[in-house]
């Protein structure tokens, strides 16, 4: 603040592209390569590093709770994919205990924080030296900073400790390893991941291809499919823009103050749950419900076996049903 006059720096977008964004402040990668930098010995899993500390009962409790939480996440992913009937009674009981597990984790971490604060107040002025530190050459830091795969794996280790929505995990991993995912044709697999474990499997494949380049075979058919999907997406976007322009013109002709009036009617994208429920309705009930909320979207695309037969010639929108857990780039705020 003394140098810039700013209260803070917003760097989320830049940090995703380059997690070592501020490393140059320590020196130049070439001219200062042999410079030694003193760093605190911190673990990505937030393990304590104070002198005299030995893992105790709280650590064991926290490990067990986090293990239970990961099991619950896997069960949730299974329910999302195959429905509630796909899990047994024991798994249902575990699922219902999620809020209790989260509360216990928060309590343990709060207890640890209180303990650390108490210890801190008991330290003398020499307490600055109570943390382990290590010396690292600046060249090594730059080398690690350029290893996007290692940084992504470290990020996943933090996600396992501090769970978050899978769509955000996919978004961040995709940004950090975009070049690798595109090079090894794994971008779609990453985006389709439903759990942190599945994201890690994708990263492991990247690691395997880097270590043994001969094991990777470029798939021309997959490339063709991806190009076709991208072409279809652009065509859908073009149709959407043309439709929006027509609706705005219609509102103008009718003298409506709200030019987006017709764009709001039937624009709601159906969710996976809505599509599943509508499939159980009669044809008449289904049509009435669809016209009420989703009339701009193709009903056949979502409900008919094999999808819409008109494909590109269809005048309605072909947009995948929304899934609260699935990654969708349009739903993510940059950074």
């Amino acid at each position: 603040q003394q140098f810039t006059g700013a209260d803070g720096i917003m760097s989320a977008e830049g940090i995703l592209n380059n997690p070592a964004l501020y490393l140059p402040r320590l020196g130049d990668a070439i001219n200062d390569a042999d410079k030694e930098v003193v760093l605190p010995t911190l673990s990505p899993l937030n393990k304590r590093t104070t002198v005299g500390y030995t893992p105790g009962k709280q650590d064991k409790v926290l490990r067990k709770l986090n293990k239970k939480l990961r099991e619950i996440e896997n069960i949730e992913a299974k329910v999302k994919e195959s429905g509630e009937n796909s899990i047994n009674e024991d798994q249902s009981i575990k699922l219902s205990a999620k809020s209790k597990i989260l509360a216990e984790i928060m309590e343990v971490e709060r207890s640890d924080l209180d303990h650390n604060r108490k210890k801190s107040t008991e330290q003398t002025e020499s307490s600055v030296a109570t943390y382990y530190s290590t010396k690292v050459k600046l060249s090594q830091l730059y080398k690690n900073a350029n290893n996007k795969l290692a940084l992504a794996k470290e990020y996943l280790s933090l996600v396992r400790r501090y769970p978050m929505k899978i769509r955000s995990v996919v978004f961040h991993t995709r940004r950090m390893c975009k070049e690798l995912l595109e090079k090894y044709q794994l971008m779609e697999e990453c985006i389709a991941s439903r759990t942190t474990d599945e994201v890690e499997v994708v990263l492991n494949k990247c690691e395997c291809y880097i270590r043994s380049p001969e094991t990777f075979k470029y798939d021309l058919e997959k490339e063709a499919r991806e190009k076709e999907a991208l072409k279809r997406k652009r065509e859908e976007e073009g149709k959407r823009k043309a439709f929006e322009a027509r609706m705005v013109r219609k509102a103008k002709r009718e003298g409506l103050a709200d030019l987006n009036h017709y764009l709001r009617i039937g624009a709601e994208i159906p969710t996976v749950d809505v599509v599943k429920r509508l499939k159980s309705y009669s044809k008449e009930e289904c049509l009435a419900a669809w016209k009420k909320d989703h009339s701009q979207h193709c009903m056949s695309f979502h409900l008919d076996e094999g999808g819409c037969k008109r494909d590109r010639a269809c005048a309605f929108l072909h947009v995948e049903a929304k899934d609260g857990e699935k990654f969708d780039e349009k739903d993510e705020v940059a950074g």
Side-chain angles (χ1 to χ4, degrees):
Q1 189 179 34
Q2 289 177 330
F3 290 106
T4 66
D7 293 325
I9 299 172
M10 183 176 178
S11 61
E13 185 76 9
I15 288 290
L16 282 174
N17 286 323
N18 177 18
L21 183 66
Y22 296 113
L23 184 58
R25 80 188 193 282
L26 298 176
D28 183 73
I30 298 175
N31 298 327
D32 302 310
D34 292 329
K35 177 183 176 181
E36 288 191 331
V37 181
V38 179
L39 299 175
T41 307
L42 298 175
S43 159
L45 294 186
N46 202 28
K47 296 296 183 185
R48 301 164 192 76
T49 56
T50 49
V51 174
Y53 174 79
T54 54
K57 183 179 178 182
Q58 295 291 71
D59 292 84
K60 293 179 181 178
V61 171
L62 204 53
R63 282 199 299 272
K64 289 181 179 178
L65 289 172
N66 278 309
K67 182 179 179 181
K68 289 180 179 179
L69 190 59
R70 288 195 296 272
E71 290 177 356
I72 291 172
E73 287 177 340
N74 291 334
I75 295 171
E76 287 178 328
K78 186 176 181 181
V79 170
K80 274 282 183 185
E81 184 176 348
S82 308
E84 294 183 0
N85 294 331
S86 64
I87 60 175
N88 57 38
E89 185 178 351
D90 183 52
Q91 289 173 319
S92 296
I93 294 173
K94 288 181 179 179
L95 204 58
S96 64
K98 181 177 181 178
S99 57
K100 180 183 176 183
I101 297 296
L102 288 172
E104 289 180 8
I105 290 174
M106 290 179 64
E107 183 60 34
V108 172
E109 291 183 339
R110 191 182 298 114
S111 175
D112 280 355
L113 183 60
D114 292 341
H115 171 75
N116 288 341
R117 284 174 177 166
K118 184 178 179 181
K119 292 287 288 183
S120 178
T121 58
E122 294 172 355
Q123 298 291 338
T124 62
E125 291 182 359
S126 63
S127 61
V128 175
T130 62
Y131 288 90
Y132 290 124
S133 63
T134 184
K135 288 184 178 181
V136 180
K137 284 191 175 183
L138 192 58
S139 58
Q140 184 61 43
L141 286 180
Y142 271 103
K143 181 180 178 181
N144 293 342
N146 292 326
N147 189 341
K148 298 294 181 69
L149 191 59
L151 290 171
K153 286 199 166 189
E154 183 176 345
Y155 165 74
L156 290 187
S157 72
L158 287 166
V159 169
R160 294 186 189 286
R161 181 67 184 270
Y162 305 104
M164 61 194 302
K165 286 186 176 181
I166 187 61
R167 59 192 292 171
S168 296
V169 176
V170 169
F171 176 69
H172 294 149
T173 304
R174 170 187 174 276
R175 289 300 301 272
M176 284 188 277
C177 297
K178 184 178 180 181
E179 290 181 6
L180 287 173
L181 294 171
E182 289 180 342
K183 179 179 179 180
Y184 297 119
Q185 295 182 293
L186 292 169
M187 180 63 79
E188 291 305 313
E189 190 173 336
C190 178
I191 290 176
S193 297
R194 307 300 296 273
T195 66
T196 302
D197 287 340
E198 289 181 10
V199 175
E200 188 166 27
V201 166
V202 174
L203 294 183
N204 287 340
K205 287 182 179 179
C206 287
E207 188 173 36
C208 178
Y209 293 144
I210 292 172
R211 191 168 54 247
S212 306
E214 70 280 0
T215 61
F216 174 69
K217 304 297 181 186
Y218 197 82
D219 190 336
L220 293 175
E221 290 186 3
K222 186 174 184 179
E223 180 189 33
R225 290 196 302 272
E226 289 174 351
K227 285 184 177 179
E228 180 64 23
L230 181 60
K231 182 181 178 182
R232 190 178 301 114
K233 179 182 177 182
R234 287 174 177 168
E235 287 175 348
E236 291 298 332
E237 290 172 349
K239 285 195 291 183
R240 177 65 190 177
K241 288 179 181 178
F243 171 79
E244 289 175 352
R246 288 199 307 273
M247 293 301 101
V248 168
R249 289 197 298 270
K250 182 178 180 181
K252 281 183 178 179
R253 286 197 304 270
E254 296 179 2
L256 299 178
D258 182 7
L259 296 181
N260 292 323
H261 171 75
Y262 289 109
L263 292 176
R264 293 194 179 93
I265 300 174
E268 184 181 337
I269 301 174
T271 65
V272 171
D273 291 336
V274 165
V275 171
K276 185 178 179 180
R277 185 174 71 250
L278 289 177
K279 285 182 177 180
S280 65
Y281 286 9
S282 67
K283 188 173 181 179
E284 293 74 17
E285 291 174 328
C286 184
L287 185 59
W290 193 266
K291 283 185 175 180
K292 180 176 179 292
D293 298 315
H294 316 294
S295 58
Q296 293 186 32
H297 299 268
C298 178
M299 189 167 75
S300 296
F301 175 75
H302 291 279
L303 302 179
D304 289 1
E305 190 70 32
C308 178
K309 303 297 187 295
R310 290 170 291 182
D311 197 22
R312 297 179 190 176
C314 183
F316 294 95
L317 294 173
H318 286 194
V319 181
E320 292 293 337
K322 294 184 71 173
D323 186 336
E325 287 297 317
K326 189 176 180 181
F327 170 79
D328 186 342
E329 188 172 3
K330 295 192 293 295
D331 289 344
E332 295 292 339
V333 175

